[in-house]
Amino acid sequence: HKERETDIHFITSSSDGIISAYSLTNHHIIQQLQLYDNISINICHLSSIKNGLLIAGDHKGNIIIWNYIENTYITNKFSSSSIISATTSPYDSQCMAIGYQNGEIIIIKHIKESIHVKIHFASHKHMIQSLIWSPFIIDNKELLASISKDKTIQLWNINEERHDKTI
């Protein structure tokens, strides 16, 4: 299947504030981004539906959205709490979820050169350890699960912008 081979990319981030995109097929760095000194990137997530788009978060609450193919990025900050988890929607390449150390979750939309908060959830008592989108839309619900250090899993209905269930 040589005519169907595609390049596989992966990303890394480090405490020196550098985010790198690598080509697994060609064994080289595609692009690197270093925004500023004294930054510690906590989380990086590569979009599953938009090639070259990733979201990263740092210990000061800064959100970085970088398209490493076009080498363009935007940043914003909506909380001073450390970003612990981040993920992109499998349904909408402009929609992303951010989980903070203080238990807050925001759903953001990025359009061209701006980032806007679409939804703000404040239900967990402790840090958000993981955010996971449902791989399927069930009963017209786009669901996001949040797992917290408070030992709960919360399900969020993104379409209706509300809490759905606690497990």
Side-chain angles (χ1 to χ4, degrees), residues 4-50:
R4 291 188 176 194
E5 266 186 31
T6 59
D7 196 5
I8 299 171
H9 298 172
F10 68 96
I11 55 171
T12 63
S13 62
S14 61
S15 60
D16 61 5
I18 296 174
I19 304 169
S20 301
Y22 292 90
S23 165
L24 189 59
T25 306
N26 299 324
H27 306 285
H28 73 278
I29 295 173
I30 299 167
Q31 197 70 262
Q32 284 190 316
L33 177 67
Q34 182 167 15
L35 294 170
Y36 34 85
D37 292 331
N38 299 323
I39 181 174
S40 178
I41 302 292
N42 290 345
I43 184 76
C44 256
H45 178 81
L46 191 58
S47 173
S48 61
I49 60 173
K50 181 157 181 165

Side-chain angles (χ1 to χ4, degrees), residues 9-158:
H9 298 172
F10 68 96
I11 55 171
T12 63
S13 62
S14 61
S15 60
D16 61 5
I18 296 174
I19 304 169
S20 301
Y22 292 90
S23 165
L24 189 59
T25 306
N26 299 324
H27 306 285
H28 73 278
I29 295 173
I30 299 167
Q31 197 70 262
Q32 284 190 316
L33 177 67
Q34 182 167 15
L35 294 170
Y36 34 85
D37 292 331
N38 299 323
I39 181 174
S40 178
I41 302 292
N42 290 345
I43 184 76
C44 256
H45 178 81
L46 191 58
S47 173
S48 61
I49 60 173
K50 181 157 181 165
N51 193 23
L53 187 70
L54 69 85
I55 185 168
D58 73 9
H59 68 288
K60 295 180 179 179
N62 294 299
I63 298 167
I64 301 108
I65 299 174
W66 180 37
N67 184 322
Y68 64 84
I69 292 173
E70 298 172 4
N71 200 23
T72 58
Y73 69 90
I74 54 177
T75 65
N76 210 327
K77 183 176 182 172
F78 300 104
S79 173
S80 59
S81 184
S82 183
I83 296 174
I84 304 299
S85 57
T87 187
T88 57
S89 169
Y91 318 109
D92 179 355
S93 66
Q94 296 177 327
C95 189
M96 302 173 174
I98 309 290
Y100 291 95
Q101 187 168 4
N102 66 4
E104 292 179 307
I105 301 166
I106 61 170
I107 308 300
I108 60 171
K109 288 282 259 189
H110 74 92
I111 301 168
K112 295 185 181 180
E113 297 179 11
S114 64
I115 304 171
H116 303 282
V117 174
K118 178 181 171 187
I119 308 168
H120 179 262
F121 296 123
S123 179
H124 286 287
K125 294 177 176 72
H126 298 287
M127 88 164 81
I128 306 299
Q129 294 175 306
S130 186
L131 294 167
I132 304 161
W133 295 92
S134 170
F136 307 104
I137 295 177
I138 303 165
D139 298 329
N140 291 323
K141 293 182 190 177
E142 185 177 331
L143 297 174
L144 176 74
S146 58
I147 296 104
S148 171
K149 197 170 181 177
D150 64 14
K151 299 181 182 175
T152 64
I153 299 171
Q154 307 257 357
L155 296 179
W156 307 94
N157 182 329
I158 302 305

